[in-house]
Structure formats: C-alpha cells, structure tokens
C-alpha cells in the first residue's frame, strides 16, 4: 500500500500502487518521490504521490532504503546492492559495492552518502554514490538505519 497525506499527517488517503510487492523505503527530492522494495521494485511519483509508475530496476534484490541529493537518488539493499539514478529516478544503474552484506538504510548529509546494514557494516560515498568505501564500524550488530543532523 501507498498512503499519502496532504495536511501534515492529520488525514491519510490510499494511492494506487503499480506493484503488489512490499515497499520498504521512500525518498524525496527535486519534486519526485521514489519508493523501493521487494525484488528490486522502484516506483516514482512526480505529482506529490498521487500517481506512481514503475521504473526499470537493474536488480532483483530487495531494496530497503533510498536517499536523494544533487540530482541523484541512491538506493541500497540485499547482498550490498547499490543502485543510483541521476535523472530524477527515471533510469537506474548498479554502483559497485564494497560489501556483500545487506544494507538496510541509506542517507545523505554533509556531502556524503552513508549506508548501513548487517554485521555493523558502514559504507560511504563522497562522489554522489558513484564509488563507495567500507568504513570501520565499532559494532558487529545489525544497523537498521542512519540519519544526519546539520
């Protein structure tokens, strides 16, 4: 299901989803919503979430998180899979990942994308998601999300 609110979350309406698959994450940028989910599903909406279309995904892996900056969407998921779009979520390509661990969350801040996941995995990109490096993690526990504060 896709739900949307136009009054700061007071009331909610259903939007029609073009997939029956589970959606795990949603991001927003450049007047575009992107939702990602099961089997590599990528959906986009350019009308404030009223209608959604399928984008062609370069992966069949589940995607769990998606983030946006500098005209770039980045999504991450199973087996360390990272996909990115530089045209407002219309087309997507695989980025080379430094891990095979599942990535559960991705965020952008301070000119850096950071993705986190299984086994305490932390990876980062400072070139809009083109290349990624493993970072030293202080934990082997699963990391389910990440955020930035500016």
């Amino acid at each position: 299901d896709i739900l949307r609110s136009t009054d700061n979350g007071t009331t909610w309406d259903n939007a029609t989803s073009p997939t029956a698959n589970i959606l795990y994450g949603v991001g927003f940028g450049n007047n575009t919503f992107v939702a990602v989910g099961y089997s590599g599903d990528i959906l986009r909406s350019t009308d404030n979430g009223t209608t959604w279309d399928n984008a062609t995904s370069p992966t069949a892996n589940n995607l769990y998180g998606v983030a946006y900056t500098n005209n770039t969407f980045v999504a991450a998921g199973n087996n360390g899979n990272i996909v990115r779009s530089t045209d407002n979520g219309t087309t997507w390509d695989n980025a080379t990942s430094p891990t095979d661990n599942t990535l559960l969350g991705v965020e952008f801040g301070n000119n850096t994308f950071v993705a986190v996941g299984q086994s305490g995995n932390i990876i980062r990109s400072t070139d809009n998601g083109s290349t990624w490096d493993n970072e030293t993690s202080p934990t082997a526990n699963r990391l389910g999300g990440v955020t930035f504060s500016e």
Side-chain angles (χ1 to χ4, degrees):
D1 286 344
I2 297 174
L3 303 177
R4 69 186 279 271
S5 174
T6 58
D7 59 5
N8 294 319
T10 301
T11 60
W12 294 83
D13 295 311
N14 284 304
T16 301
S17 176
T19 183
N21 287 336
I22 296 169
L23 299 171
Y24 296 111
V26 63
F28 180 80
N30 197 27
N31 297 312
T32 302
F33 283 99
V34 170
V36 297
Y38 186 78
S39 294
D41 270 356
I42 302 173
L43 311 179
R44 68 189 290 268
S45 172
T46 57
D47 62 2
N48 233 7
T50 302
T51 59
W52 294 79
D53 296 308
N54 283 306
T56 301
S57 178
T59 185
N61 285 313
N62 294 352
L63 296 170
Y64 296 109
V66 59
Y68 174 86
T69 193
N70 298 328
N71 296 315
T72 302
F73 280 100
V74 170
N78 277 358
N79 304 315
N81 201 207
I82 301 167
V83 297
R84 69 190 287 262
S85 171
T86 58
D87 63 0
N88 218 34
T90 301
T91 60
W92 294 79
D93 295 307
N94 284 304
T96 301
S97 177
T99 184
D100 290 331
N101 288 327
T102 293
L103 299 168
L104 298 167
V106 61
E107 188 62 82
F108 182 86
N110 201 26
N111 297 313
T112 305
F113 276 106
V114 173
V116 299
Q118 299 289 16
S119 302
N121 213 168
I122 302 170
I123 65 172
R124 64 191 290 266
S125 172
T126 57
D127 61 4
N128 285 337
S130 293
T131 60
W132 294 80
D133 295 308
N134 273 310
E135 300 303 324
T136 302
S137 177
T139 184
N141 293 326
R142 175 183 173 175
L143 300 172
V146 60
T147 192
F148 277 91
S149 174
E150 306 261 345

